[in-house]
Amino acid sequence: MAAVVFPNIVTGIYDYLIPGRLEGKVSPGTPVLVNLRKRELWGVTVGIKADSLCPSLKEVIDVQGGRWTDSGSTLMKLYEWVAEYYQCDLGRVFRPLMRKGLLHGADKTVQVFMPSPDAPVATLSEKNRAIWSKLQRLDSFSAAEAKELFGVSRSALNRLCGAQCLVRETRTVVREAFEPCMKRSNEKGTLTDEQRAAVDMIMKAHAAPQAPFLLHGITGSGKTHVYIELASRMLRLGKGVIILVPEIALTPQTIQRFGEAFGEVVTVIHSHMSDGERRDSLQELVTGRKRVVIGVRSAIMVPMEQVGLIIVDEEHDGNYKQSDCEPRYHARDVAVMRGRFQKALVVLGSATPSFESYHNAAAGKYRLVRLSQRFGAASLPQVELVDMREERRNNNWKPLSNRLAAAVASTIEAGRQVILLLNRRGFSTILLCKDCGYTAHCPNCTVTLRYHRADTALKCHVCGHFQQAPDCCPGCGGQNIKYKGTGIQKIEEFLHEMFPAARLLRMDRDSTRRKGAHAAILGKFAHHETDILLGTQMVAKGLDFPGVALVGVVAADTGLHLPDFRASERTFQLLTQVAGRAGRCDNLGKVIIQTYCPEDYALRCAAQHDYSTYFKQESENRRLLNYPPWGRLARIIVVGKVEAEVRSLITTIAQEIRAAAGNSLTLLGPSPAVLERVANQIRHTILLKSSHPRKLGTILRELRIRHHRLPPSIDLIIDVDPVNML
Ligand code: ADP
Ligand code: ZN
């Protein structure tokens, strides 16, 4: 009998009989087609049992071909751990992997034509013979290629098939979501001494991996080179490799480098791939035809046997945590567990490790490996902080300080490139009526609307609400509307005025909505068809352009004052990362950071490239407040349309937890969330802090079971190790 769970519809585990014809084809991990409440549905087998409490069982109808399980046990253990630790139904764990397409998709086939070796050419008409003489030079071709190369129509191909001059064949093709886009010069350089020492140290552990490795390598130290070397050695040992990256679109260079190093054996998994591409990629991994997978967080779940190495690149990145739907897992932490269950080496890499990981390394739970030198002649760029209060006192009200404006001008003059960062979308942040004080708010959320000049619209950056910008004040009808606050589009306009000859591209969520837009922008920058790349945090991620001599941060404080205990850490990481884009091939890199709080230690440490001082200082703050990495956090959010209902449920939950927990944890709240209303849903939260992870787990599990059946108007969310605090 098979115990089956469902990723999307119902919760719980259901039993099904395995009919004789499917005997031996169903094991833990196998997707099965079954009948549930009069519908045929795909579910996943999570166990095989001898008997069931249920008297009348239905039979499994079909199974997914290929081998979907890693000897049944190690991956099931991982999936169960995810469900248990992140407090969700076991079925939900399979959601990231199995969107609809995986289970419903069919093979994709194409028709190809081949010239037949003994074609009776003499029987052809003169016209057909002319066509034939062109086609016979090809080995095989599709109808589309015949059309494109020689203008030959499908009906002509059919005629030639009829005359037995061409052979038609149907082939299965593997759909791939991997499009090489940025050619790089071949860079099979030998490793530096430091890089080699890192590789050797990590590989020494491969026979019996114990602790995960934290690869702390400064920007430009060649972490990607180390990953590639490790992965090649693992492949030679016959093992598979999983490489996680925070976002695919933003890291085309990294993907490209892995693609070139491993060629045919790589497949890519990301969130914008089609269902067919996803199905084929997974199928290739399950069957072992592909041995390396590069992907975003969901790739940590892929069913793949004999994994020897798991790499988490930019391990500090918040994208590894899934916050908005179940399972609310952190792919970095799942990677560590997978490594343990599957006996694989785990390498977490970053120039700015997360507090949690660095703390684990300091405590001896992870092993620290350092790369402290930039590759080649390059050294870390010089960083200068510019105090914008001073600038304002000197009556410069422009968005760029005189210092930064002069540096931009001279950099372009010298034929080099500039990256400018402002982490704020839109043109203005707020619409204000000077007469009546009206400000434009989102009708669905507790945030102000942002003005987007290009489409003269006010937009909500939380729910996406969109409305025409008004001509007069909606409050008093007056004409005295002002747009305040500087967004990236305003800077773009300012730069065009200030540097009319400079070629400028903007990279933010608005300018990169189209598929391939990221790659197009980065491609232009790579070929030096652009002098200035202006962008949001997107430009801080992993870019490796030797032409960049200046990095400017227009406002370093944008994220510093958010009500989130990681605000300072994120600012430090963002500044260090973006600074790391400058001077990657020589000693001429320069970074200028504009700020209103130059005395803040996150900024000062970032300017000194001083991770360890920052870590010490910030650890102390976190320890005093028992925040991670010292204490464990879980966030409980109640979401619903009716405020009274939400308030009543969250109050009950708080009482229950207090009663159950005693003083084993601290409870903050209940209180309205920072974003109290999102898309017309009221949100109230409780934050739990505890130094006893076990106890916290038990309390959360009991809570979940007790409130298992809630009315549809209200939802209870449990977020373990939360990253989103708003
Ligand atoms: P990181 O990921 O640590 O920021 P990268 O792996 O992008 O660093 O390396 C920075 C630059 O140095 C890249 O252009 C890379 O090709 C080059 N590089 C690093 N190590 C080597 C090496 N051993 N041989 C040749 N080039 C290298
Ligand atoms: Zn909104």
mmCIF file of all heavy atoms in Angstrom, residues 271-305:
data_model
loop_
_atom_site.group_PDB
_atom_site.id
_atom_site.type_symbol
_atom_site.label_atom_id
_atom_site.label_comp_id
_atom_site.label_asym_id
_atom_site.label_seq_id
_atom_site.Cartn_x
_atom_site.Cartn_y
_atom_site.Cartn_z
ATOM 1 N N SER A 271 12.495 30.128 -11.402
ATOM 2 C CA SER A 271 11.057 30.263 -11.213
ATOM 3 C C SER A 271 10.324 30.720 -12.465
ATOM 4 O O SER A 271 9.109 30.660 -12.514
ATOM 5 C CB SER A 271 10.792 31.230 -10.059
ATOM 6 O OG SER A 271 11.655 32.330 -10.168
ATOM 7 N N HIS A 272 11.051 31.161 -13.491
ATOM 8 C CA HIS A 272 10.335 31.609 -14.688
ATOM 9 C C HIS A 272 10.331 30.564 -15.788
ATOM 10 O O HIS A 272 9.981 30.851 -16.924
ATOM 11 C CB HIS A 272 10.946 32.903 -15.227
ATOM 12 C CG HIS A 272 10.912 34.004 -14.229
ATOM 13 N ND1 HIS A 272 9.730 34.495 -13.731
ATOM 14 C CD2 HIS A 272 11.888 34.674 -13.588
ATOM 15 C CE1 HIS A 272 9.992 35.432 -12.849
ATOM 16 N NE2 HIS A 272 11.289 35.552 -12.729
ATOM 17 N N MET A 273 10.759 29.346 -15.482
ATOM 18 C CA MET A 273 10.781 28.359 -16.551
ATOM 19 C C MET A 273 9.370 27.825 -16.791
ATOM 20 O O MET A 273 8.509 27.871 -15.917
ATOM 21 C CB MET A 273 11.779 27.249 -16.246
ATOM 22 C CG MET A 273 11.447 26.382 -15.066
ATOM 23 S SD MET A 273 12.941 25.628 -14.356
ATOM 24 C CE MET A 273 13.494 24.557 -15.642
ATOM 25 N N SER A 274 9.147 27.311 -17.997
ATOM 26 C CA SER A 274 7.823 26.778 -18.306
ATOM 27 C C SER A 274 7.667 25.428 -17.613
ATOM 28 O O SER A 274 8.641 24.807 -17.199
ATOM 29 C CB SER A 274 7.678 26.604 -19.810
ATOM 30 O OG SER A 274 8.475 25.515 -20.232
ATOM 31 N N ASP A 275 6.421 24.990 -17.514
ATOM 32 C CA ASP A 275 6.169 23.701 -16.876
ATOM 33 C C ASP A 275 6.892 22.568 -17.610
ATOM 34 O O ASP A 275 7.404 21.646 -16.995
ATOM 35 C CB ASP A 275 4.671 23.411 -16.838
ATOM 36 C CG ASP A 275 3.963 24.297 -15.812
ATOM 37 O OD1 ASP A 275 4.661 24.836 -14.926
ATOM 38 O OD2 ASP A 275 2.741 24.441 -15.904
ATOM 39 N N GLY A 276 6.927 22.671 -18.950
ATOM 40 C CA GLY A 276 7.593 21.638 -19.742
ATOM 41 C C GLY A 276 9.087 21.615 -19.477
ATOM 42 O O GLY A 276 9.694 20.552 -19.319
ATOM 43 N N GLU A 277 9.691 22.805 -19.396
ATOM 44 C CA GLU A 277 11.124 22.889 -19.120
ATOM 45 C C GLU A 277 11.432 22.309 -17.747
ATOM 46 O O GLU A 277 12.398 21.584 -17.552
ATOM 47 C CB GLU A 277 11.587 24.347 -19.169
ATOM 48 C CG GLU A 277 11.648 24.926 -20.562
ATOM 49 C CD GLU A 277 11.759 26.460 -20.578
ATOM 50 O OE1 GLU A 277 11.604 27.093 -19.509
ATOM 51 O OE2 GLU A 277 11.990 27.002 -21.658
ATOM 52 N N ARG A 278 10.558 22.622 -16.774
ATOM 53 C CA ARG A 278 10.772 22.127 -15.418
ATOM 54 C C ARG A 278 10.705 20.606 -15.392
ATOM 55 O O ARG A 278 11.554 19.932 -14.824
ATOM 56 C CB ARG A 278 9.709 22.711 -14.490
ATOM 57 C CG ARG A 278 9.813 22.266 -13.050
ATOM 58 C CD ARG A 278 8.741 22.943 -12.232
ATOM 59 N NE ARG A 278 8.895 24.383 -12.252
ATOM 60 C CZ ARG A 278 9.630 25.063 -11.378
ATOM 61 N NH1 ARG A 278 10.236 24.439 -10.402
ATOM 62 N NH2 ARG A 278 9.740 26.364 -11.468
ATOM 63 N N ARG A 279 9.710 20.081 -16.059
ATOM 64 C CA ARG A 279 9.541 18.629 -16.073
ATOM 65 C C ARG A 279 10.778 17.958 -16.680
ATOM 66 O O ARG A 279 11.320 17.001 -16.131
ATOM 67 C CB ARG A 279 8.305 18.274 -16.886
ATOM 68 C CG ARG A 279 8.139 16.787 -17.114
ATOM 69 C CD ARG A 279 6.967 16.538 -18.057
ATOM 70 N NE ARG A 279 6.889 15.143 -18.415
ATOM 71 C CZ ARG A 279 7.608 14.578 -19.370
ATOM 72 N NH1 ARG A 279 8.509 15.290 -20.036
ATOM 73 N NH2 ARG A 279 7.467 13.301 -19.646
ATOM 74 N N ASP A 280 11.219 18.481 -17.817
ATOM 75 C CA ASP A 280 12.345 17.840 -18.501
ATOM 76 C C ASP A 280 13.627 17.954 -17.679
ATOM 77 O O ASP A 280 14.400 17.007 -17.587
ATOM 78 C CB ASP A 280 12.547 18.447 -19.894
ATOM 79 C CG ASP A 280 11.444 18.023 -20.852
ATOM 80 O OD1 ASP A 280 10.523 17.318 -20.403
ATOM 81 O OD2 ASP A 280 11.495 18.405 -22.029
ATOM 82 N N SER A 281 13.846 19.122 -17.068
ATOM 83 C CA SER A 281 15.047 19.296 -16.251
ATOM 84 C C SER A 281 15.077 18.275 -15.124
ATOM 85 O O SER A 281 16.086 17.624 -14.878
ATOM 86 C CB SER A 281 15.054 20.677 -15.593
ATOM 87 O OG SER A 281 15.500 21.623 -16.488
ATOM 88 N N LEU A 282 13.954 18.137 -14.430
ATOM 89 C CA LEU A 282 13.912 17.214 -13.301
ATOM 90 C C LEU A 282 14.101 15.785 -13.779
ATOM 91 O O LEU A 282 14.820 14.996 -13.173
ATOM 92 C CB LEU A 282 12.591 17.360 -12.547
ATOM 93 C CG LEU A 282 12.458 18.669 -11.766
ATOM 94 C CD1 LEU A 282 11.080 18.813 -11.167
ATOM 95 C CD2 LEU A 282 13.511 18.754 -10.678
ATOM 96 N N GLN A 283 13.453 15.472 -14.891
ATOM 97 C CA GLN A 283 13.573 14.115 -15.439
ATOM 98 C C GLN A 283 15.039 13.792 -15.764
ATOM 99 O O GLN A 283 15.519 12.703 -15.487
ATOM 100 C CB GLN A 283 12.708 14.034 -16.704
ATOM 101 C CG GLN A 283 12.273 12.636 -17.056
ATOM 102 C CD GLN A 283 11.171 12.121 -16.121
ATOM 103 O OE1 GLN A 283 10.534 12.871 -15.412
ATOM 104 N NE2 GLN A 283 10.990 10.818 -16.097
ATOM 105 N N GLU A 284 15.748 14.762 -16.319
ATOM 106 C CA GLU A 284 17.157 14.557 -16.655
ATOM 107 C C GLU A 284 18.003 14.315 -15.404
ATOM 108 O O GLU A 284 18.951 13.548 -15.421
ATOM 109 C CB GLU A 284 17.728 15.783 -17.383
ATOM 110 C CG GLU A 284 17.126 16.042 -18.745
ATOM 111 C CD GLU A 284 17.575 15.031 -19.772
ATOM 112 O OE1 GLU A 284 18.738 15.097 -20.198
ATOM 113 O OE2 GLU A 284 16.764 14.159 -20.135
ATOM 114 N N LEU A 285 17.636 14.994 -14.326
ATOM 115 C CA LEU A 285 18.393 14.832 -13.086
ATOM 116 C C LEU A 285 18.086 13.494 -12.424
ATOM 117 O O LEU A 285 18.970 12.795 -11.938
ATOM 118 C CB LEU A 285 18.057 15.960 -12.106
ATOM 119 C CG LEU A 285 18.582 17.328 -12.512
ATOM 120 C CD1 LEU A 285 17.934 18.417 -11.678
ATOM 121 C CD2 LEU A 285 20.092 17.382 -12.354
ATOM 122 N N VAL A 286 16.803 13.152 -12.449
ATOM 123 C CA VAL A 286 16.396 11.902 -11.814
ATOM 124 C C VAL A 286 17.047 10.713 -12.511
ATOM 125 O O VAL A 286 17.487 9.762 -11.877
ATOM 126 C CB VAL A 286 14.865 11.766 -11.871
ATOM 127 C CG1 VAL A 286 14.446 10.400 -11.376
ATOM 128 C CG2 VAL A 286 14.226 12.828 -11.027
ATOM 129 N N THR A 287 17.123 10.799 -13.830
ATOM 130 C CA THR A 287 17.689 9.673 -14.563
ATOM 131 C C THR A 287 19.211 9.710 -14.549
ATOM 132 O O THR A 287 19.850 8.784 -15.015
ATOM 133 C CB THR A 287 17.244 9.703 -16.032
ATOM 134 O OG1 THR A 287 17.574 10.994 -16.540
ATOM 135 C CG2 THR A 287 15.758 9.465 -16.162
ATOM 136 N N GLY A 288 19.793 10.803 -14.065
ATOM 137 C CA GLY A 288 21.248 10.867 -13.987
ATOM 138 C C GLY A 288 21.908 11.291 -15.293
ATOM 139 O O GLY A 288 23.130 11.288 -15.399
ATOM 140 N N ARG A 289 21.136 11.696 -16.299
ATOM 141 C CA ARG A 289 21.773 12.176 -17.535
ATOM 142 C C ARG A 289 22.440 13.521 -17.283
ATOM 143 O O ARG A 289 23.454 13.835 -17.879
ATOM 144 C CB ARG A 289 20.733 12.291 -18.654
ATOM 145 C CG ARG A 289 20.424 10.973 -19.335
ATOM 146 C CD ARG A 289 19.650 11.200 -20.629
ATOM 147 N NE ARG A 289 18.316 11.693 -20.379
ATOM 148 C CZ ARG A 289 17.238 10.914 -20.220
ATOM 149 N NH1 ARG A 289 17.352 9.606 -20.310
ATOM 150 N NH2 ARG A 289 16.057 11.426 -19.982
ATOM 151 N N LYS A 290 21.853 14.316 -16.400
ATOM 152 C CA LYS A 290 22.500 15.558 -15.986
ATOM 153 C C LYS A 290 23.034 15.351 -14.579
ATOM 154 O O LYS A 290 22.354 14.751 -13.745
ATOM 155 C CB LYS A 290 21.492 16.712 -16.004
ATOM 156 C CG LYS A 290 20.886 16.959 -17.376
ATOM 157 C CD LYS A 290 21.681 17.960 -18.162
ATOM 158 C CE LYS A 290 21.382 17.895 -19.629
ATOM 159 N NZ LYS A 290 20.884 19.109 -20.218
ATOM 160 N N ARG A 291 24.217 15.873 -14.342
ATOM 161 C CA ARG A 291 24.866 15.631 -13.046
ATOM 162 C C ARG A 291 25.070 16.903 -12.233
ATOM 163 O O ARG A 291 25.507 16.863 -11.107
ATOM 164 C CB ARG A 291 26.228 14.951 -13.262
ATOM 165 C CG ARG A 291 26.189 13.710 -14.105
ATOM 166 C CD ARG A 291 25.498 12.556 -13.406
ATOM 167 N NE ARG A 291 26.201 12.144 -12.203
ATOM 168 C CZ ARG A 291 25.595 11.872 -11.045
ATOM 169 N NH1 ARG A 291 24.303 11.996 -10.931
ATOM 170 N NH2 ARG A 291 26.298 11.485 -10.016
ATOM 171 N N VAL A 292 24.821 18.054 -12.880
ATOM 172 C CA VAL A 292 24.997 19.324 -12.173
ATOM 173 C C VAL A 292 23.714 20.130 -12.330
ATOM 174 O O VAL A 292 23.226 20.293 -13.443
ATOM 175 C CB VAL A 292 26.156 20.153 -12.771
ATOM 176 C CG1 VAL A 292 26.314 21.470 -12.014
ATOM 177 C CG2 VAL A 292 27.451 19.375 -12.773
ATOM 178 N N VAL A 293 23.180 20.606 -11.239
ATOM 179 C CA VAL A 293 22.036 21.497 -11.348
ATOM 180 C C VAL A 293 22.397 22.840 -10.733
ATOM 181 O O VAL A 293 22.983 22.914 -9.659
ATOM 182 C CB VAL A 293 20.764 20.897 -10.706
ATOM 183 C CG1 VAL A 293 20.982 20.517 -9.270
ATOM 184 C CG2 VAL A 293 19.599 21.871 -10.799
ATOM 185 N N ILE A 294 22.094 23.914 -11.485
ATOM 186 C CA ILE A 294 22.249 25.269 -10.958
ATOM 187 C C ILE A 294 20.852 25.811 -10.813
ATOM 188 O O ILE A 294 20.082 25.785 -11.779
ATOM 189 C CB ILE A 294 22.991 26.186 -11.935
ATOM 190 C CG1 ILE A 294 24.330 25.583 -12.298
ATOM 191 C CG2 ILE A 294 23.169 27.573 -11.345
ATOM 192 C CD1 ILE A 294 25.063 26.407 -13.320
ATOM 193 N N GLY A 295 20.504 26.301 -9.656
ATOM 194 C CA GLY A 295 19.141 26.773 -9.538
ATOM 195 C C GLY A 295 18.923 27.689 -8.373
ATOM 196 O O GLY A 295 19.804 27.905 -7.544
ATOM 197 N N VAL A 296 17.710 28.258 -8.342
ATOM 198 C CA VAL A 296 17.286 29.074 -7.219
ATOM 199 C C VAL A 296 16.852 28.136 -6.099
ATOM 200 O O VAL A 296 17.010 26.932 -6.202
ATOM 201 C CB VAL A 296 16.159 30.033 -7.635
ATOM 202 C CG1 VAL A 296 16.694 31.048 -8.624
ATOM 203 C CG2 VAL A 296 15.004 29.258 -8.243
ATOM 204 N N ARG A 297 16.275 28.720 -5.043
ATOM 205 C CA ARG A 297 16.102 27.934 -3.804
ATOM 206 C C ARG A 297 15.444 26.581 -3.994
ATOM 207 O O ARG A 297 15.821 25.602 -3.345
ATOM 208 C CB ARG A 297 15.374 28.749 -2.743
ATOM 209 C CG ARG A 297 13.998 29.183 -3.170
ATOM 210 C CD ARG A 297 13.293 29.991 -2.088
ATOM 211 N NE ARG A 297 12.004 30.405 -2.596
ATOM 212 C CZ ARG A 297 11.623 31.679 -2.723
ATOM 213 N NH1 ARG A 297 12.416 32.653 -2.346
ATOM 214 N NH2 ARG A 297 10.448 31.973 -3.218
ATOM 215 N N SER A 298 14.441 26.478 -4.914
ATOM 216 C CA SER A 298 13.716 25.209 -5.012
ATOM 217 C C SER A 298 14.622 24.068 -5.475
ATOM 218 O O SER A 298 14.300 22.898 -5.280
ATOM 219 C CB SER A 298 12.525 25.346 -5.964
ATOM 220 O OG SER A 298 12.970 25.599 -7.269
ATOM 221 N N ALA A 299 15.768 24.399 -6.076
ATOM 222 C CA ALA A 299 16.660 23.354 -6.577
ATOM 223 C C ALA A 299 17.230 22.490 -5.454
ATOM 224 O O ALA A 299 17.687 21.380 -5.691
ATOM 225 C CB ALA A 299 17.800 23.968 -7.395
ATOM 226 N N ILE A 300 17.164 22.982 -4.218
ATOM 227 C CA ILE A 300 17.703 22.185 -3.110
ATOM 228 C C ILE A 300 16.829 20.957 -2.870
ATOM 229 O O ILE A 300 17.239 19.995 -2.239
ATOM 230 C CB ILE A 300 17.853 23.031 -1.819
ATOM 231 C CG1 ILE A 300 18.775 22.331 -0.824
ATOM 232 C CG2 ILE A 300 16.525 23.314 -1.156
ATOM 233 C CD1 ILE A 300 20.143 22.024 -1.306
ATOM 234 N N MET A 301 15.611 20.969 -3.423
ATOM 235 C CA MET A 301 14.689 19.850 -3.215
ATOM 236 C C MET A 301 14.802 18.793 -4.310
ATOM 237 O O MET A 301 14.139 17.780 -4.233
ATOM 238 C CB MET A 301 13.244 20.370 -3.225
ATOM 239 C CG MET A 301 12.968 21.459 -2.232
ATOM 240 S SD MET A 301 12.719 20.785 -0.605
ATOM 241 C CE MET A 301 11.990 22.190 0.194
ATOM 242 N N VAL A 302 15.578 19.022 -5.360
ATOM 243 C CA VAL A 302 15.500 18.116 -6.516
ATOM 244 C C VAL A 302 15.889 16.690 -6.138
ATOM 245 O O VAL A 302 16.828 16.452 -5.397
ATOM 246 C CB VAL A 302 16.365 18.555 -7.728
ATOM 247 C CG1 VAL A 302 15.892 19.867 -8.271
ATOM 248 C CG2 VAL A 302 17.824 18.577 -7.381
ATOM 249 N N PRO A 303 15.117 15.736 -6.669
ATOM 250 C CA PRO A 303 15.422 14.341 -6.411
ATOM 251 C C PRO A 303 16.617 13.946 -7.260
ATOM 252 O O PRO A 303 16.525 13.895 -8.473
ATOM 253 C CB PRO A 303 14.159 13.610 -6.872
ATOM 254 C CG PRO A 303 13.488 14.522 -7.822
ATOM 255 C CD PRO A 303 13.937 15.916 -7.531
ATOM 256 N N MET A 304 17.753 13.742 -6.636
ATOM 257 C CA MET A 304 18.962 13.456 -7.383
ATOM 258 C C MET A 304 19.794 12.537 -6.509
ATOM 259 O O MET A 304 20.003 12.820 -5.331
ATOM 260 C CB MET A 304 19.684 14.786 -7.608
ATOM 261 C CG MET A 304 20.839 14.776 -8.525
ATOM 262 S SD MET A 304 21.415 16.505 -8.597
ATOM 263 C CE MET A 304 22.854 16.302 -9.573
ATOM 264 N N GLU A 305 20.232 11.450 -7.089
ATOM 265 C CA GLU A 305 21.002 10.489 -6.305
ATOM 266 C C GLU A 305 22.457 10.888 -6.240
ATOM 267 O O GLU A 305 22.940 11.615 -7.096
ATOM 268 C CB GLU A 305 20.906 9.122 -6.966
ATOM 269 C CG GLU A 305 19.659 8.373 -6.584
ATOM 270 C CD GLU A 305 19.734 6.957 -7.084
ATOM 271 O OE1 GLU A 305 20.520 6.177 -6.517
ATOM 272 O OE2 GLU A 305 19.030 6.656 -8.047
#
